[in-house]
Amino acid sequence: MKKHIALACISAALLCGCANSFLKPVEGSERVLLLNATQVANCKSLGKISVNVVTKVGIYTREANAVEANLLQLGQNNAIELGGDSLVKDVTPEFGKQVFAVYKCKR
């Protein structure tokens, strides 16, 4: 019985680690900044994007910081595709989902 529990724990840890490794940064996404609304007052709005990631792997819920990091990376990737260089968190409808406003700030 103990072997089954240990195997289940190891499997869950590996799956959670794999969930993070499937998300690849787009070239240039590391330069997309997460700002607040006052910091983008003089920037051009490019619209809003909605992103979501897996929050559960099997019966295990992923750590909040890993989910947030994945949401930000997806937001940065999408901002590059829209020609943006800045993001502002807009709405967080639920855990694992995020809406970002995308801006071009001419930095």
Side-chain angles (χ1 to χ4, degrees), residues 7-8 13 15 24 35 52 57-59 63-64 69 71 73 76 84 87:
L7 182 60
L15 285 172
K24 302 296 180 201
L35 303 175
N52 60 73
V57 178
I59 61 170
E63 291 184 21
L71 289 169
Q73 185 62 62
Q76 290 170 317
L87 294 172

Side-chain angles (χ1 to χ4, degrees), residues 34-36 47-55 64-76 78-79 87-102:
L34 180 61
L35 303 175
N36 64 47
K48 294 184 180 186
I49 55 170
S50 179
V51 295
N52 60 73
V53 297
V54 173
T55 59
N65 60 347
V67 170
E68 289 294 319
N70 286 167
L71 289 169
L72 178 58
Q73 185 62 62
L74 280 173
Q76 290 170 317
N78 282 291
L87 294 172
V88 174
K89 283 187 178 181
D90 188 59
V91 177
T92 305
E94 62 187 69
F95 183 58
K97 297 182 179 183
Q98 179 69 58
V99 176
F100 291 102
V102 182

Side-chain angles (χ1 to χ4, degrees), residues 26-39:
V26 171
E27 186 177 336
S29 65
E30 71 281 355
R31 293 187 302 272
V32 176
L33 300 178
L34 180 61
L35 303 175
N36 64 47
T38 58
Q39 294 173 299

Side-chain angles (χ1 to χ4, degrees), residues 36-47:
N36 64 47
T38 58
Q39 294 173 299
V40 296
N42 297 319
C43 302
K44 179 182 178 185
S45 174
L46 300 177

